[in-house]
């Protein structure tokens, strides 16, 4: 790619970009594209064909296209013609969104919540409301970017703690004082599970509020899929649970719970709620039907966890360092961007498709191909993925990846 391509005037309505912006694009992107990526996209590879095994989505329970969800959505489109598109701050108690917000909250073991446009908006909007410059935010190093951005938007002092290191968290709280502890239940890049019981114990001892992002455990873990907080009996001890509903819910929304008494405060304070239009009736109807479907997906949850154990064991036996996680998200962390490009190509040549995660989604030296499993994978498809991993191992040498070398150096056998 040449910078001139970005700045060349193609139509009379496309003026030249200013020099300082061109310099920044050249420094931050063009050089990376040309030097590290070889003049092609790292995140966009081949188009998957009909024979592809796709492990690049988030529909963990494989509910996309479920008849009950489709029927609810299409019925709402046909019959809910009288609605007003407006900010979520204006919704009255009689609006369908309110019924779903409360229903979802009760499922989580909470009393109320707020439906947002996305999980990113949910985390940003909530943190803006509950943190400020006088609130230390203790955040796991691998927590989702939206949580980091929410803390920055609140102007809060941010104190990162080493991933899943409860003792490091304890020391930070002892030094900085009460604040807000922020973790993911299952981390989106590695599939590692947070030690939630220990985290909550330490947070309570330090008189901190607790926020748990359940984006990658809601629907897949816990009783009727109600998440890890419910599974561990922590719902009554965790102040705030957030989630993207674009994962197991396979929709387009986000959510966070709040005590009922804080509702009007949040509606008057959260910019992401105030300045975004509410979801449309057919979207809410689909989410409402999806919740009922998810509650009945015990067999799919069992299948998902079984597939996860099988593939993780197979990859580990072949020398792939997947020890950093345990759940349905599997990170093949090649480390450098050129090595990850090679890994992606070798997988896609053999019809296995994951998602490339690179900076800023990861640290620059922790680039990876992320495989996300789903309940509809067949045994034959899983066997194909394992056979592909066996075939490419001598080509990509996973035992030489930086994460594998670190594990050997530290004698690591479990989670990082």
């Amino acid at each position: 790619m040449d910078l001139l391509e970005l700045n060349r005037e193609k139509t009379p309505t496309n003026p030249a970009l200013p020099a300082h912006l061109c310099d920044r694009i050249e420094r931050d992107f063009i050089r990376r594209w040309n030097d590290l990526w070889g003049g092609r996209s790292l995140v966009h590879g081949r188009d998957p064909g009909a024979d592809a095994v796709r492990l690049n989505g988030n529909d963990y329970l494989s509910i996309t296209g479920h008849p009950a969800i489709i029927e609810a959505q299409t019925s709402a489109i046909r019959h809910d013609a009288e609605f007003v598109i407006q900010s979520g701050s204006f919704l009255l108690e009689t609006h369908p969104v309110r019924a779903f917000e409360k229903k979802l909250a009760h499922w989580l073991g909470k009393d109320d919540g707020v439906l947002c446009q996305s999980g990113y908006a949910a985390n940003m909007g909530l943190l803006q409301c509950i943190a400020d410059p006088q609130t230390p935010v203790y955040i796991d190093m691998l927590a989702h970017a939206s949580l980091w951005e929410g803390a920055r938007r609140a102007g809060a002092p941010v104190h990162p703690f080493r991933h899943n290191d409860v003792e490091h968290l304890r020391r930070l709280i002892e030094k900085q004082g009460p604040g807000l502890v922020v973790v993911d239940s299952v981390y989106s890049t590695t599939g590692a599970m947070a030690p939630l019981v220990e985290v909550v114990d330490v947070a309570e001892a330090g008189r901190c509020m607790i926020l748990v992002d359940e984006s990658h455990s809601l629907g897949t873990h816990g009783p009727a899929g109600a998440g890890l907080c419910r599974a561990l009996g922590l719902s009554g001890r965790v102040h705030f649970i957030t989630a993207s509903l674009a994962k197991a819910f396979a929709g387009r929304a986000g959510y966070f719970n709040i005590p009922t008494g804080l509702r009007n405060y949040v509606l008057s304070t959260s910019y992401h709620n105030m300045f975004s239009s509410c979801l449309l009736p057919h979207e809410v109807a689909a989410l409402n039907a999806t919740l009922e479907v998810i509650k009945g997906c015990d067999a799919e949850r069992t299948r998902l966890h079984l597939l996860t154990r099988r593939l993780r064991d197979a990859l580990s036996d072949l020398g792939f360092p997947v020890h950093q996680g345990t759940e349905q998200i599997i990170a093949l962390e090649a480390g450098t961007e050129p090595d990850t490009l090679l890994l992606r190509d070798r997988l896609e040549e053999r019809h296995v498709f994951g998602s490339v995660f690179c900076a800023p989604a990861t640290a620059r030296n922790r680039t990876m191909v992320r495989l996300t499993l789903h309940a509809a994978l067949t045994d034959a498809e899983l066997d194909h993925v394992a056979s592909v991993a066996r075939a490419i191992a001598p080509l990509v040498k996973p035992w030489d990846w930086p994460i594998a070398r670190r594990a050997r150096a530290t004698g690591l056998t479990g989670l990082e």
Side-chain angles (χ1 to χ4, degrees):
M1 177 184 289
D2 192 310
L3 185 58
L4 291 177
E5 292 182 36
L6 293 177
N7 211 19
R8 186 178 293 121
E9 186 173 341
K10 292 182 171 60
T11 70
T13 58
N14 189 22
L17 301 175
H20 73 274
L21 175 56
C22 291
D23 290 343
R24 179 158 61 89
I25 295 171
E26 171 72 28
R27 181 189 70 242
D28 296 343
F29 179 70
I30 301 298
R31 293 176 189 171
R32 186 181 180 194
W33 176 284
N34 289 332
D35 298 342
L36 295 179
W37 300 1
R40 56 198 181 109
S41 175
L42 175 62
V43 297
H44 299 142
R46 300 181 178 215
D47 288 330
D51 55 352
V53 180
R54 299 195 61 170
L55 305 178
N56 56 356
N58 293 317
D59 182 7
Y60 300 131
L61 301 176
S62 302
I63 61 174
T64 296
H66 191 286
I69 300 172
I70 298 298
E71 172 58 30
Q73 191 169 40
T74 55
S75 178
I77 291 173
R78 291 191 186 100
H79 303 298
D80 294 340
E82 295 184 10
F83 59 87
V84 177
I85 301 176
Q86 58 184 173
S87 166
S89 296
F90 296 124
L91 300 183
L92 301 176
E93 287 297 311
T94 54
H95 196 282
V97 165
R98 290 296 293 130
F100 178 71
E101 288 174 336
K102 293 177 182 179
K103 182 178 180 179
L104 191 55
H106 296 161
W107 184 51
L108 297 174
K110 295 297 186 179
D111 55 350
D112 206 348
V114 175
L115 190 64
C116 307
Q117 292 281 7
S118 67
Y120 200 100
N123 283 336
M124 288 277 287
L126 175 60
L127 275 156
Q128 178 197 340
C129 298
I130 62 176
D132 61 20
Q134 287 71 52
T135 307
V137 172
Y138 306 101
I139 185 167
D140 188 287
M141 287 291 294
L142 293 189
H144 194 268
S146 57
L147 296 164
W148 290 82
E149 288 302 308
R152 293 190 183 102
R153 175 65 182 80
V158 177
H159 302 283
F161 62 92
R162 288 188 292 271
H163 177 50
N164 278 350
D165 190 333
V166 178
E167 286 306 310
H168 189 207
L169 170 62
R170 187 195 310 276
R171 293 194 299 270
L172 287 173
I173 295 174
E174 288 174 352
K175 182 177 181 180
Q176 303 296 336
L180 172 67
V181 174
V182 178
V183 297
D184 289 18
S185 54
V186 172
Y187 286 88
S188 62
T189 52
T190 64
M193 186 182 293
L196 282 183
V197 173
E198 293 85 352
V199 167
V200 171
D201 287 344
V202 167
E204 287 179 340
R207 295 180 290 121
C208 290
M209 297 182 292
I210 309 157
L211 186 159
V212 178
D213 184 331
E214 290 237 45
S215 294
H216 296 278
S217 55
L218 198 63
T220 59
H221 294 68
L228 275 178
C229 289
R230 283 295 301 271
L232 298 172
L234 297 175
S235 292
R237 298 171 63 189
V238 170
H239 296 79
F240 304 102
I241 295 172
T242 71
S244 164
L245 303 186
K247 315 306 179 188
F249 270 73
R252 185 188 66 86
Y255 183 82
F256 61 84
N257 81 271
I258 51 170
T260 299
L262 287 186
R263 181 169 182 80
N264 288 327
Y265 163 71
V266 169
L267 295 181
S268 303
T269 309
S270 173
Y271 278 25
H272 286 79
N273 188 68
M274 295 166 63
F275 298 114
S276 295
S277 295
C278 63
L279 272 67
L280 300 178
H282 69 274
E283 294 175 307
V284 178
L287 291 171
N288 190 59
T290 299
L291 176 54
E292 296 306 313
V293 170
I294 284 176
K295 289 178 180 179
C297 280
D298 285 345
E300 287 79 5
R301 280 182 280 275
T302 298
R303 172 74 176 168
L304 177 65
H305 297 314
L306 174 64
L307 293 172
T308 297
R309 289 193 297 271
R310 281 180 51 189
L311 186 56
R312 280 189 172 277
D313 287 346
L315 291 170
S316 183
D317 289 345
L318 291 168
F320 286 84
V322 296
H323 56 275
Q324 70 271 44
T326 58
E327 304 311 298
Q328 72 272 9
I329 298 165
I330 302 178
L332 303 183
E333 189 181 305
T336 69
E337 292 182 348
D339 284 344
T340 304
L341 189 63
L342 174 66
L343 171 63
R344 184 205 73 186
D345 287 348
R346 298 295 86 84
L347 288 168
E348 292 185 357
E349 288 166 0
R350 295 161 174 83
H351 312 295
V352 174
F353 288 77
S355 299
V356 174
F357 275 42
C358 60
T362 69
R364 281 192 178 272
N365 62 345
R366 303 201 74 162
T367 308
M368 64 183 67
V369 174
R370 189 184 80 167
L371 309 179
T372 51
L373 307 189
H374 58 84
L377 283 169
T378 66
D379 290 341
E381 288 174 324
L382 201 70
D383 290 344
H384 176 70
V385 175
S387 68
V388 167
R390 183 178 300 106
I392 69 171
L395 305 176
V396 300
K397 297 180 173 57
W399 42 84
D400 287 338
W401 292 347
I403 188 172
R405 295 199 299 269
R406 288 194 298 270
R408 288 196 296 270
T410 58
L412 188 65
T413 57
L415 298 184
E416 287 191 324

